Amino acid sequence: MNVFVSGGAGYIGSVCVEELIHAGHHVTAYDNLTEGHRAAVDKRAEFVHGDLSDEARLAQALRESKPEAILHFAANALVCESMANPGKYFRNNVANGLKLLDAAVVAGVKKFVFSSTCAVYGVPSRMPMTEELASHPVNPYGESKLMFEKMLQWYQRIHGLEFVAFRYFNAAGASERFGEHHRIETHLIPNVLRVALGQAPHCEIFGTDYPTPDGTCVRDYIHIVDLARAHILAMSPGRHGFFNLGNGEGSSVREVIKLCEQITGRSIKVIEQMRRHGDPPKLVASAEKAKKELGWKPEYPNLKDIVASAWRWHEQHPSGYPD
């Protein structure tokens, strides 16, 4: 298939581009490079430097690439920033996303796969989290993703644009060639590994008094390659709806840090801080729906394998991407 990937130079988008090409698809990666990196785009893909807000540029890219499917990753994704600057999130994640939806309809695209988030649920009422849980976002980031999910439902109903929306839990790890390099890094694993690399004096634990076995937050980590392969499965005709992507196993912050020490063979200094407002004690997915309806099966469900792949990439690319 011809596949158009918005945000194709970002962390998740770049690995999806690589996996799409491995699977035999022709890929056009579209990215404004404010968060992504040109060096993160597989050289076998077509690259278009453009912004979703540039409707003429976007329309031209779709005309030239003639995609049968769009994978939409382009978004702002910092929870704390969304609380300080909500307009940025509604403008980019919702308004600019709408421009991509409209352009997709004009271009005759048949399938739209959306990078959503477990943040649409807010604080969950039960564990593990299933797709039937009510959506009550507690920050503008989660709200912006939920708004786009609702738009997708109407566009499928009115325009026949079949969609799949994946609600990610904690994407982590790396492929052999592409890994995680954010200009502003908020994710636990890369921040812990920065200490092991000697690039930071310590890592931080926010809250040690949660109702969890060791008092720190518990999260569900999913390997980036497993995440990417779910998107390829979703492109098949007839598959639509909302799907959680996670491993169904939770690991605490302390457990992640200890595992990073084991894998790197280096001591990692920790500073304990107060809780951050809005951090739920535990977020663990049920991905049974994706397994049953899409035939998805994680190849790397073990956190040790996820962290080891991240460490290999960071050791080989201690400064991240060159651009």
Side-chain angles (χ1 to χ4, degrees), residues 112-124:
F112 198 102
V113 183
F114 176 49
S115 168
S116 192
T117 171
C118 65
V120 300
Y121 295 115
V123 180

Side-chain angles (χ1 to χ4, degrees), residues 254-264 303-304 307:
R254 288 197 193 280
E255 287 173 334
V256 171
I257 294 170
K258 183 178 180 181
L259 187 57
C260 287
E261 287 186 318
Q262 292 173 359
I263 288 170
T264 64
L303 183 60
K304 184 176 181 179
V307 172

Side-chain angles (χ1 to χ4, degrees), residues 12-29:
I12 300 174
S14 65
V15 177
C16 278
V17 167
E18 180 185 31
E19 287 296 317
L20 284 163
I21 293 171
H22 287 339
H25 301 290
H26 182 269
V27 181
T28 298

Side-chain angles (χ1 to χ4, degrees), residues 132-319:
E132 291 74 31
L133 280 174
S135 297
H136 298 296
V138 295
N139 52 67
Y141 166 62
E143 187 71 46
S144 71
K145 291 286 191 173
L146 181 61
M147 291 172 72
F148 195 84
E149 286 188 359
K150 292 179 178 179
M151 288 157 53
L152 284 171
Q153 292 179 82
W154 284 109
Y155 270 63
Q156 177 169 291
R157 187 169 168 180
I158 295 169
H159 297 294
L161 179 60
E162 188 174 73
F163 79 89
V164 166
F166 284 120
R167 293 167 173 171
Y168 305 161
F169 281 66
N170 290 60
S175 71
E176 291 298 321
R177 297 170 59 201
F178 303 112
E180 189 167 12
H181 175 196
H182 296 111
R183 291 179 177 87
I184 300 175
E185 188 56 77
T186 62
H187 293 168
L188 176 62
I189 291 173
N191 276 329
V192 174
L193 294 179
R194 286 185 68 232
V195 182
L197 285 167
Q199 297 175 348
H202 62 265
C203 63
E204 297 174 316
I205 296 177
F206 294 96
T208 58
D209 59 347
Y210 286 96
T212 59
D214 66 16
T216 65
C217 287
V218 171
R219 295 293 183 263
D220 188 343
Y221 294 89
I222 175 174
H223 198 291
I224 189 71
V225 171
D226 287 330
L227 194 75
R229 290 173 180 170
H231 290 72
I232 297 173
L233 293 171
M235 294 194 309
S236 298
R239 293 174 171 176
H240 62 90
F242 303 100
F243 297 88
N244 290 338
L245 288 182
N247 278 312
E249 296 288 339
S251 299
S252 74
V253 175
R254 288 197 193 280
E255 287 173 334
V256 171
I257 294 170
K258 183 178 180 181
L259 187 57
C260 287
E261 287 186 318
Q262 292 173 359
I263 288 170
T264 64
R266 301 175 188 181
S267 178
I268 295 170
K269 183 179 178 181
V270 175
I271 291 182
E272 297 179 358
Q273 305 279 20
M274 300 290 289
R275 291 187 185 192
R276 291 183 300 197
H277 178 69
D279 272 348
K282 187 175 182 179
L283 295 174
V284 176
S286 167
E288 292 306 309
K289 183 180 178 185
K291 293 175 182 177
K292 181 179 179 181
E293 296 187 17
L294 303 180
W296 179 68
K297 183 180 180 181
E299 187 175 343
Y300 307 102
N302 191 299
L303 183 60
K304 184 176 181 179
D305 294 331
I306 295 173
V307 172
S309 70
W311 177 239
R312 282 193 299 271
W313 192 84
H314 284 289
E315 272 199 305
Q316 294 166 10
H317 307 85
S319 299

